[in-house]
Amino acid sequence: MGCPIRTAVLFIIFEDSIVNTDVIFDSLHPRWMPWTQRAFVFDIMHPTSQLMLAVLDYDSLNPFDGDDPIGRVTIDPSNLRPMTDYTMQFDLSTSSLVANRKLNGTVTVRVRIEWENGNERKALIKALNPPPEIYVNVAQHRDFLASHYAIIGGGDT
């Protein structure tokens, strides 16, 4: 039995923002072309905030059931140097537990950190304080399920 054809969408959560790419239909190796929604800019409230990505198999037939998870990744921007472009490739798996991991593909992302007015010192001082409590608000149940998966993950127990 072969792999099912996937219809991929990437959700990104950073602090109080949730965005998603365009849906790529019927591809085991989706690529977001330059004319699709694939690039995003976020304001940084706290330097230690995590960038969370979730790749989902878009389910257009049953939007109330949510999309099937393919895998998720968390990127720590505090490990990145400002004003440097990073192209990173990550393995995708639905489980955070090493023993339960099954590779579901990879995702390649490009990230660049720019501090307001190039002020790295101000960002460093901000990092000494605890991050603020942040809420992500969504209007649709499907987006809630996607954001929950990106932040918490699947059913690892």
Side-chain angles (χ1 to χ4, degrees), residues 31-42:
R31 293 184 62 116
W32 283 268
M33 295 293 130
W35 57 84
T36 63
Q37 181 64 46
R38 66 179 193 161
F40 306 96
V41 175
F42 302 101

Side-chain angles (χ1 to χ4, degrees), residues 12-18 42-52 77 126 129-138 144 147 151-152:
I12 303 169
I13 297 179
F14 185 72
E15 296 180 333
D16 63 346
S17 301
I18 179 171
F42 302 101
D43 288 330
I44 301 172
M45 287 189 264
H46 196 272
T48 63
S49 295
Q50 305 291 298
L51 182 66
M52 292 165 270
K126 239 183 179 180
N129 296 318
E133 194 167 310
I134 296 174
Y135 297 93
V136 178
N137 297 302
V138 295
F144 169 76
S147 62
I151 295 169
I152 309 264

Side-chain angles (χ1 to χ4, degrees), residues 2 11 15 21 75 87 105:
F11 280 84
E15 296 180 333
T21 62
I75 300 171
T87 302

Side-chain angles (χ1 to χ4, degrees), residues 29-144:
H29 306 285
R31 293 184 62 116
W32 283 268
M33 295 293 130
W35 57 84
T36 63
Q37 181 64 46
R38 66 179 193 161
F40 306 96
V41 175
F42 302 101
D43 288 330
I44 301 172
M45 287 189 264
H46 196 272
T48 63
S49 295
Q50 305 291 298
L51 182 66
M52 292 165 270
L53 295 86
V55 180
L56 302 163
D57 188 0
Y58 184 80
D59 185 2
S60 61
L61 297 176
N62 190 358
F64 301 106
D65 191 27
D67 304 316
D68 300 323
I70 296 173
R72 68 189 196 88
V73 173
T74 302
I75 300 171
D76 185 358
S78 66
N79 291 330
L80 307 177
R81 292 187 56 114
M83 307 307 285
T84 303
D85 291 325
Y86 291 89
T87 302
M88 302 175 279
Q89 187 172 23
F90 298 97
D91 291 335
L92 292 173
S93 140
T94 55
S95 176
S96 298
L97 303 174
V98 175
N100 297 344
R101 277 202 188 147
K102 181 183 132 210
L103 184 64
N104 285 339
T106 60
V107 63
T108 302
V109 295
R110 187 171 40 211
V111 178
R112 179 182 175 95
I113 304 294
E114 295 181 11
W115 295 111
E116 186 178 344
N117 301 325
N119 197 340
E120 293 178 51
R121 185 170 186 264
K122 188 176 177 182
L124 180 62
I125 291 170
K126 239 183 179 180
L128 298 174
N129 296 318
E133 194 167 310
I134 296 174
Y135 297 93
V136 178
N137 297 302
V138 295
Q140 297 179 356
H141 187 253
R142 161 182 264 151
D143 294 339
F144 169 76

